[in-house]
Amino acid sequence: MSDDPLVVFTPSGKRGRFPVGTPVLTAARQLGVDLDSVCGGRGICSKCQITPSYGEFSKHGVTVEADALSEWNAVEQRYKDKRGLIDGRRLGCQAKIEKDVVIDVPPESQVHKQVVRKRAEAREITMNPSTRLYYVEVEEPDMHKPTGDMERLVEALENQWQLKGVKTDLHILHQLQPALRKGDWKVTVAIHLGDDTHPPKIMHIWPGYYEGTVYGLAVDLGSTTIAAHLCDLKSGEVVASSGIMNPQIRFGEDLMSRVSYAMMNKGGDQEMTRAVREGMNALFTQIATEAEIDKSLIVDAVFVCNPVMHHLFLGIDPFELGQAPFALATSRSLSLRAVELELNIHPAARIYLLPCIAGHVGADAAAVALSEAPDKSEDLVLVVDVGTNAEILLGNKEKVLACSSPTGPAFEGAQISSGQRAAPGAIERVEIDPVTKEPRFRVIGSDIWSDQDGFSESIATTGITGICGSGIIEVIAEMRLAGLLDASGLIGSAEQTGSARCVPEGRTNAYLLWDGSAEGGPRITVTNPDIRAIQMAKAALYSGARLLMDKVGVDTVDRVVLAGAFGAHISAKHAMVLGMIPDCPLEKVTSAGNAAGTGARIALLNTDARKEIEETVRNIEKIETAVEPRFQEHFVNASAIPNSSDPFPILNTLVSLPDVSFNAGGGDGAGGRRRRRG
Ligand code: FES
């Protein structure tokens, strides 16, 4: 065995012997330890910070003496004076190995560091962005060796960073000569490392050492809203988030109406393409202004969207998506350039669109699969992304199936008489006393329940304006629990229910949740057509999930993940009383927030994840609900509240569903029956 000093790196545990005088950065590189460097060991960037540990390390079989590393040097001192360095830290490119040593690489010095996510069960994001910064020293021109400045820069990148075949665009050539001379032949370049379609490319050039960073966008292009996160491609942090309404709404609220618009109007698809791209550019300007950055520093963007949005964004007529067999122009992932999509960010910025799963299951569902990773789950997980269209995934390590189900906009408050989008003033939580049948509720913007002191003051500015999606789910489920609503979805009359809040409305009844008319406010009721709309939406959702369960051959799932902005606010109990989701222990129903957006962020920050999701999507079994014979049967059963054929044994241990039945036209009380179970 050699007598060279032993170096042990933590947390990786990688170890090796190196000759005395080897810089720590060199040892790390040779062992494949994840230690960052932008300046290539020149003592400029401070990315290579490490912490040596001293003393006895029986675990590693090493004793580290005080002089295990070379002495603190002038470069480190200069850095510390200028920018500060935590006590005990050294620069890995300056500190040289003298004796056996244990060296810790702190997270901020790791290239592939993990980005912290708030949810405990969320997968971590490992940094491996498409674009990185490199500091290089370029040879000066020489009359005896006539080569261009760019050729010498490319050669320097190959020699100093082992980057081969780096290409560039004309706009970099415009900046190259002044940058090299201003930086005294030292420059920092941002290089997109390339992908299957494109070679590595210089995106930006700065004279000398560039302290700043470059950015990427993770964009969730939905039919209703477009949400973008601006991320620092060095740290992985989200520096700004912003969203706008999808300007295509003026061509139709839901996807199918937009497909019809394209079919019925010549050039309608191009109009919608223009609208979404213009909206996107406005959003990017807004987010860059908010973050106070130059838009040209945005060098990469990842988009997730449903198939219709995908086609319209790309400028492809969605005609084929409007009819069976729902063929996509391409289901593969796409690597494009921003200019091809007329996006106003860095002129050479790269665009990545996640693959689509099927004609009705888009890149947004692929992004949910990336974020929630059902393919890595030990237990059988049902992931539902609730929106105008529900994307549903069911699976575990062995197999994942996917489908989409047309839930329509009812869950977003549309088609509901007092419905509205989730905004201040909207009722979001409801409880109904099963004895008095009196409601109490909470509105967005106030934490105080309507029957508590201080409620009126707390809503003085917002008022009570309507009911949002989560409020509708709760009020209908609470009406069912309070015996105001029967399993078929009919609201009882005042006589049948014993509540004066049940008022006749046409041939049916409505439940009066709030009457603000005395103060000029709205009268907020839940009507039978409202219940019908929710029944249709939840039946579509449930029967999609049930179909996937049939395919797997199970009647229950181990856990349910509710994704999407709406999913984040749904109460698991109420969703189950309604029969939106299958029977499952409540603690096993979790919310993933905007999982599609998170999937986009993962793909933005980690290019390996792009390969991973491309592979995962290839293995997902796609189910087309429209052609499945049992879908209709499930749909009919799922129209009942909670369901007319599937039992909900776990739910039944938690709540008691009154066994009531009200006939249509029961406004006069005739024919209504009332039974209470057990
Ligand atoms: S590698 Fe840049 S300061 Fe050490």
Side-chain angles (χ1 to χ4, degrees), residues 25 29 35-49 75 79 90-94 135 161 209:
L25 179 65
R29 282 186 170 166
L35 179 57
D36 201 0
S37 160
V38 168
C39 73
R42 295 182 180 86
I44 304 171
C45 71
S46 87
K47 298 289 169 204
C48 61
Q49 292 182 32
V75 174
Y79 189 85
R90 303 280 311 260
L91 294 182
C93 61
Q94 302 302 313
Y135 173 83
W161 290 102
Y209 177 68

Side-chain angles (χ1 to χ4, degrees), residues 443 445-446 448-450 452-463:
V443 301
S446 166
I448 304 176
W449 285 88
S450 58
Q452 289 177 328
D453 289 344
F455 174 73
S456 308
E457 296 75 27
S458 76
I459 56 145
T461 53
T462 63

Side-chain angles (χ1 to χ4, degrees), residues 214-218 229-233 239 297-302 604:
V214 284
Y215 300 89
L217 283 164
H229 298 298
L230 180 72
C231 301
D232 180 326
L233 290 185
V239 289
L297 289 174
I298 304 173
V299 294
D300 197 6
V302 169
L604 174 70

Side-chain angles (χ1 to χ4, degrees), residues 284-534:
F284 297 166
T285 303
Q286 180 179 314
I287 205 165
T289 311
E290 220 172 276
E292 296 177 2
I293 66 149
D294 177 354
K295 263 197 300 181
S296 74
L297 289 174
I298 304 173
V299 294
D300 197 6
V302 169
F303 290 81
V304 300
C305 42
N306 63 54
V308 174
M309 289 301 106
H310 175 272
H311 277 39
L312 285 172
F313 178 44
L314 292 172
I316 302 169
D317 189 341
F319 177 77
E320 294 299 336
L321 298 173
Q323 54 182 17
F326 313 107
L328 288 152
T330 178
S331 58
R332 294 217 178 146
S333 64
L334 290 169
S335 287
L336 305 165
R337 289 181 313 131
V339 281
E340 294 175 79
L341 300 174
E342 300 164 300
L343 296 179
N344 204 353
I345 43 179
H346 185 288
R350 295 291 167 75
I351 303 297
Y352 178 81
L353 273 89
L354 266 73
C356 287
I357 298 179
H360 271 161
V361 194
D364 46 359
V368 171
L370 182 58
S371 165
E372 298 311 305
D375 56 312
K376 293 187 176 57
S377 173
E378 293 287 342
D379 49 10
L380 188 67
V381 56
L382 176 74
V383 187
V384 282
D385 192 350
V386 191
T388 341
N389 227 38
E391 271 86 33
I392 309 168
L393 298 160
L394 175 69
N396 58 17
K397 274 171 115 170
E398 270 147 44
K399 187 181 193 161
V400 177
L401 294 92
C403 73
S404 84
S405 212
T407 41
F411 288 146
E412 286 167 3
Q415 295 174 351
I416 304 293
S417 56
S418 297
Q420 68 158 89
R421 286 189 207 291
I427 295 175
E428 59 166 347
R429 305 282 320 273
V430 181
E431 282 176 6
I432 298 177
D433 186 310
V435 178
T436 65
K437 322 290 186 202
E438 282 301 297
R440 64 178 205 141
F441 54 82
R442 253 173 45 186
V443 301
I444 298 178
S446 166
D447 285 338
I448 304 176
W449 285 88
S450 58
D451 60 347
Q452 289 177 328
D453 289 344
F455 174 73
S456 308
E457 296 75 27
S458 76
I459 56 145
T461 53
T462 63
I464 303 168
T465 49
I467 322 175
C468 69
S470 63
I472 290 160
I473 305 275
E474 295 205 3
V475 71
I476 297 179
E478 288 284 319
M479 285 168 70
R480 178 80 184 90
L481 288 170
L484 298 166
L485 181 74
D486 69 11
S488 76
L490 281 173
I491 303 171
S493 63
E495 292 90 331
Q496 288 165 333
T497 60
S499 169
R501 286 186 175 269
C502 291
V503 291
E505 177 138 329
R507 287 178 49 79
T508 51
N509 298 300
Y511 178 72
L512 179 63
L513 183 58
W514 169 254
D515 189 354
S517 52
E519 292 85 41
R523 207 167 166 271
I524 298 175
T525 55
V526 180
T527 66
N528 249 118
D530 295 341
I531 307 242
R532 282 279 170 263
I534 291 294

